[in-house]
Amino acid sequence: MSETNPALVLDSVSVEFGKGKRRLRAVSEVSLEVHPGKTVAIVGESGSGKSTVARAMSGLVPLSGGSVTLLGEDFTTPRRKQRRHIQMVFQDPFSSLDPSSTVGNSLAEPLQVHERMSRQDRATRIAGLLASVGLPVDAAERYPHEFSGGQRQRIAIARAIATNPEVLLLDEAVSALDVSTQNQILVLLNSLQEQHGLAYVFISHNLGVVRWLADETVVMYMGHIVERGPTERVHSEPAHPYTQALVSAMPVADPTGREKRQRILLAGEPPNQFDEPHGCIFSTRCPMVTDICRNVVPTSVPLAGGGTAACHLLTESVEARRPAPRQPLLTSEIS
Ligand SMILES: Nc1ncnc2c1ncn2[C@@H]1O[C@H](COP(=O)(O)OP(=O)(O)OP(=O)(O)O)[C@@H](O)[C@H]1O
Ligand SMILES: [Mg+2]
């Protein structure tokens, strides 16, 4: 429970693409909340539905089920004036920056769409935005190709915060950058979050970055959330076999070797998304699969360290911890 109202709520959101036999459920009944000043990370391998969740959150793709609430108002079919409250930053800043437009004009565009401002006020606001992302004022006169990858990502962030949004969706926003540039952008994102109380949804393949930045981590596999919880718990005590495999693939920066762990290799590729497995979505690749996994969909089990995971092994261990029912007395003892 959190004392703030969530900035963004997804309630059982599903997204489907295609029709008939070629229908694919990219996102299956995903629920989550993002609070002001907090970061929720979404992790999972390629094709697990992370970007589709982000697009569903920002109203860029129609839902086949569920609802989205932004700042307490329905955002399932967004109204234009709501859009300023939620903005996206992508891996490739070129997708959001027009190469033929000066940086100043790129930053002015969202201001023109969402606010009525005099030219002078707009110029002041653009200078302020550039300063807040660590760029000089004269950057406004230049073109995107004149900047490095890190600087371009700063421009994309400035553009995203131009309308004073409450929620930022960061889809692999630092993934294309070298490690030291990545770190600088992460520090910038952290300080912008503190200053403005921004809610972040941070999508990344890099669990090290997620562990550093995110308050909560959500793990997706084939469109489903298989585990979620406080970041530290998810990374140090992953409960779902899929999360365990993801975490085990991370290089360990621990010279003492205390955190040494076995790398878990998953057999095969994810199953065909047009034909989802019966039972547990992960059953075709799980190293610990049993019969029940192939036949029955597991429910989410609350975990001691916080959060939940959907795995029969966990349900079984919860069952095992329940006190055994009292044995009936034997007749010989009664007599
Ligand atoms: N517009 C679309 N039309 C049809 N299928 C789509 C569309 N967008 C995504 N998909 C499919 O939905 C599934 C989820 O894709 P998505 O891009 O959300 O995954 P992702 O987790 O973001 O992957 P990555 O890590 O590679 O970015 C994939 O099977 C993808 O092929
Ligand atoms: Mg993606």
Side-chain angles (χ1 to χ4, degrees):
M1 277 291 184
S2 169
E3 56 291 4
T4 57
N5 290 324
L8 182 72
V9 180
L10 266 68
D11 185 14
S12 203
V13 163
S14 299
V15 178
E16 286 172 359
F17 295 114
K19 286 208 165 62
K21 277 212 156 70
R22 301 308 291 169
R23 197 175 67 162
L24 175 152
R25 206 166 206 216
V27 174
S28 271
E29 295 173 16
V30 162
S31 296
L32 50 85
E33 290 188 355
V34 198
H35 287 260
K38 299 285 180 197
T39 301
V40 174
I42 306 179
V43 302
E45 66 202 312
S46 192
S48 57
K50 306 179 297 294
S51 295
T52 307
V53 169
R55 288 165 66 210
M57 282 174 175
S58 51
L60 294 176
V61 65
L63 311 189
S64 58
S67 65
V68 181
T69 307
L70 177 64
L71 305 172
E73 290 185 16
D74 183 60
F75 193 63
T76 311
T77 36
R79 284 169 289 132
R80 204 181 73 91
K81 74 178 191 25
Q82 287 177 297
R83 291 192 182 275
R84 62 178 298 171
H85 300 293
I86 183 163
Q87 296 291 325
M88 281 183 99
V89 178
F90 300 94
Q91 175 167 355
D92 173 16
F94 275 117
S95 61
S96 50
L97 297 174
D98 178 354
S100 65
S101 172
T102 62
V103 168
N105 283 339
S106 277
L107 296 182
E109 193 198 282
L111 297 174
Q112 281 157 342
V113 172
H114 294 286
E115 284 174 61
R116 286 187 177 277
M117 273 189 176
S118 71
R119 262 180 88 142
Q120 185 53 47
D121 285 352
R122 204 182 298 137
T124 310
R125 177 99 177 98
I126 289 168
L129 282 169
L130 288 169
S132 71
V133 297
L135 290 172
V137 178
D138 67 9
E141 314 305 323
R142 289 151 61 192
Y143 290 86
H145 74 262
E146 298 177 53
F147 295 90
S148 68
Q151 288 169 326
R152 277 202 295 271
Q153 208 51 304
R154 286 174 192 269
I155 298 164
I157 292 167
R159 191 171 196 268
I161 62 171
T163 59
N164 290 320
E166 283 79 359
V167 185
L168 272 197
L169 307 179
L170 302 150
D171 191 350
E172 304 283 2
V174 298
S175 307
L177 307 171
D178 64 75
V179 174
S180 82
T181 312
Q182 214 173 62
N183 290 343
Q184 290 165 17
I185 300 291
L186 291 171
V187 168
L188 170 67
L189 288 171
N190 224 8
S191 86
L192 290 172
Q193 182 171 55
E194 276 176 19
Q195 282 171 48
H196 304 288
L198 288 162
Y200 287 166
V201 177
F202 188 82
I203 294 173
S204 180
H205 276 98
N206 187 332
L207 293 194
V209 165
V210 164
R211 195 169 179 172
W212 184 81
L213 190 79
D215 300 285
E216 189 189 357
T217 298
V218 168
V219 183
M220 287 187 70
Y221 183 79
M222 281 186 72
H224 297 250
I225 294 181
V226 294
E227 178 162 0
R228 67 193 326 147
T231 292
E232 209 30 59
R233 200 280 299 152
V234 172
H235 293 251
S236 62
E237 296 167 67
H240 194 283
Y242 178 62
T243 318
Q244 290 168 359
L246 276 188
V247 169
S248 82
M250 268 288 292
V252 187
D254 174 27
T256 65
R258 269 195 294 260
E259 255 200 66
K260 207 170 268 166
R261 55 194 167 203
Q262 204 93 41
R263 172 131 196 214
I264 306 165
L265 290 175
L266 293 179
E269 292 294 308
N272 179 354
Q273 280 191 291
F274 297 107
D275 187 18
E276 286 190 2
H278 298 289
C280 175
I281 196 85
F282 190 51
S283 57
T284 56
R285 286 169 89 201
C286 183
M288 295 184 251
V289 64
T290 61
D291 271 349
I292 186 174
C293 309
R294 296 191 188 94
N295 297 302
V296 181
V297 177
T299 53
S300 283
V301 181
L303 302 166
T308 60
C311 173
H312 287 299
L313 291 168
L314 300 164
T315 323
E316 280 166 16
S317 64
V318 169
E319 297 292 334
R321 272 187 266 122
R322 286 213 181 104
R326 278 180 59 153
Q327 295 293 320
L329 290 172
L330 296 171
T331 36
S332 61
E333 286 173 335
I334 297 170
S335 60

